[in-house]
Amino acid sequence: MKNILEDSLLAGSTAQVTILGLPSDKYSSFLRGAADGPPAIREVLFSPGGNLWTEGGVDLEADGNLSDLGDVEFTDNMDHFERIEASVKLLTTLGKRPIFLGGDHYITWPIIKTFSRSHPNLTILQFDAHPDLYDEFDGKKDSHATPFARIMEKRHVRRLIQVGLRGITGHLREQARRFGVDTFEMRYLSEKPDLRLSGDVYISFDLDVLDPAHAPGVSHHEAGGMTVRHALSIIQSIDSKRSPVVGADVVELNPSRDISGITAAAAAKIVKEIAGKMLESIKK
């Protein structure tokens, strides 16, 4: 990790917003493959077939705006949790605003455990088809279906808001009530829901929040989801002065299930608009 992160950052990168890949799918259920997500997102994000301007007019290629630190290396026999924690600690110590590319959704748990130390009144805005609040899944406490239960039971954030939900069990509803989660189910979701955000915001974007027609490249298809435009509208509606976006992750891209790079393209677009929203608050 020292070579991947410290050498890159200390070599003179002045960018405020940094991309770091966390290609871990050790805690996936049903299908693995999300570990291949980061390079697939980068291929679209930095393709000469597109550009790095956001819809709001921010040039991400301009000096000091965005840097890509590559991927943290993982093996199955290492402690992924500790490795992710160390990565996050370094980035926050250096005052960066990170966008983490997953990887499965389990990565959000060690990210937030560390990130919340420098942002004690954090709100998580989670885009997801599933609440990922299981107390345990398939008999395991550590799973991509459990990270937000771990985060909330340890009180690492002030508030958790979940938007786009549509794969909810009775247990998950009980867990949401237990932890006081603000849930916006897809069947009731307006174009720009009143999220009442305030203070620092961390966006956790699970690509399965999108309808499979827009994002087939995920392991758990759940019909009836968002369009890409709907998701972008919610992100773009965040008031950067009142609610600065200080960190984010984009997770659960499974390239082996993608069709013509549709999901990777959606993920890259989401990354661009989140980065633009981060820079908007920095430059205010």
Side-chain angles (χ1 to χ4, degrees):
M1 183 186 306
K2 180 177 180 180
N3 291 336
I4 295 172
L5 285 179
E6 293 185 30
D7 290 353
S8 298
L9 286 169
L10 301 180
S13 172
T14 59
Q16 296 278 355
V17 178
T18 56
I19 292 172
L20 180 65
L22 298 176
S24 170
D25 60 8
K26 182 178 179 179
Y27 299 100
S28 292
S29 61
F30 182 56
L31 291 175
R32 295 183 70 168
D36 297 322
I41 297 173
R42 283 195 188 89
E43 184 178 357
V44 178
L45 185 63
F46 299 112
S47 169
N51 63 66
L52 283 169
W53 284 81
T54 71
E55 292 186 358
V58 177
D59 181 5
L60 297 179
E61 284 190 293
D63 288 346
N65 278 354
L66 180 71
S67 64
D68 180 11
L69 304 179
D71 293 344
V72 174
E73 295 180 1
F74 295 99
T75 62
D76 270 355
N77 61 359
M78 69 171 52
D79 190 324
H80 290 207
F81 195 100
E82 289 186 1
R83 197 140 173 90
I84 293 169
E85 276 192 298
S87 304
V88 178
K89 182 178 180 181
L90 179 58
L91 290 174
T92 55
T93 298
L94 293 172
K96 304 298 181 181
R97 294 201 179 185
I99 301 176
F100 301 100
L101 307 181
D104 67 36
H105 219 159
Y106 178 80
I107 69 170
T108 306
W109 163 216
I111 289 170
I112 294 298
K113 181 185 177 187
T114 307
F115 202 77
S116 63
R117 294 169 190 158
S118 55
H119 298 84
N121 293 310
L122 195 64
T123 291
I124 297 177
L125 174 55
Q126 176 190 352
F127 291 80
D128 211 322
H130 315 96
D132 294 346
L133 280 167
Y134 282 102
D135 182 57
E136 60 179 48
F137 193 77
D138 289 339
K140 300 174 182 177
K141 290 280 190 179
D142 291 328
S143 164
H144 70 158
T146 67
F148 293 95
R150 304 288 84 81
I151 289 166
M152 296 306 287
E153 68 191 8
K154 297 296 184 181
R155 300 181 181 179
H156 284 307
V157 297
R158 176 173 62 89
R159 189 177 174 211
L160 173 60
I161 305 169
Q162 299 179 325
V163 296
L165 302 177
R166 57 195 187 279
I168 314 173
T169 67
H171 170 68
L172 291 172
R173 291 187 188 280
E174 182 181 334
Q175 287 283 86
R177 288 191 293 269
R178 172 189 173 195
F179 294 124
V181 180
D182 293 320
T183 57
F184 291 77
E185 295 186 38
M186 193 66 222
R187 57 183 173 154
Y188 302 126
L189 192 63
S190 64
E191 189 64 25
K192 291 184 180 179
D194 183 8
L195 303 177
R196 301 183 182 181
L197 293 172
S198 63
D200 292 347
V201 174
Y202 181 97
I203 296 175
S204 185
F205 197 101
D206 187 327
L207 289 158
D208 71 19
V209 74
L210 303 174
D211 192 89
H214 297 264
V218 297
S219 295
H220 301 268
H221 294 158
E222 191 72 48
M226 285 186 187
T227 64
V228 177
R229 175 49 55 195
H230 193 176
L232 292 174
S233 294
I234 295 173
I235 292 169
Q236 291 165 346
S237 70
I238 296 172
D239 182 339
S240 296
K241 185 174 182 179
R242 178 180 172 83
S243 308
V245 179
V246 295
D249 59 62
V250 178
V251 300
E252 296 288 356
L253 171 62
N254 188 339
S256 68
R257 305 194 83 191
D258 209 359
I259 300 170
S260 300
I262 291 172
T263 316
K269 182 73 169 180
I270 295 296
V271 169
K272 282 170 55 173
E273 294 304 312
I274 290 174
K277 186 58 64 171
M278 288 177 169
L279 289 164
E280 188 178 283
S281 62
I282 291 170
K283 296 177 183 296
K284 277 187 177 291

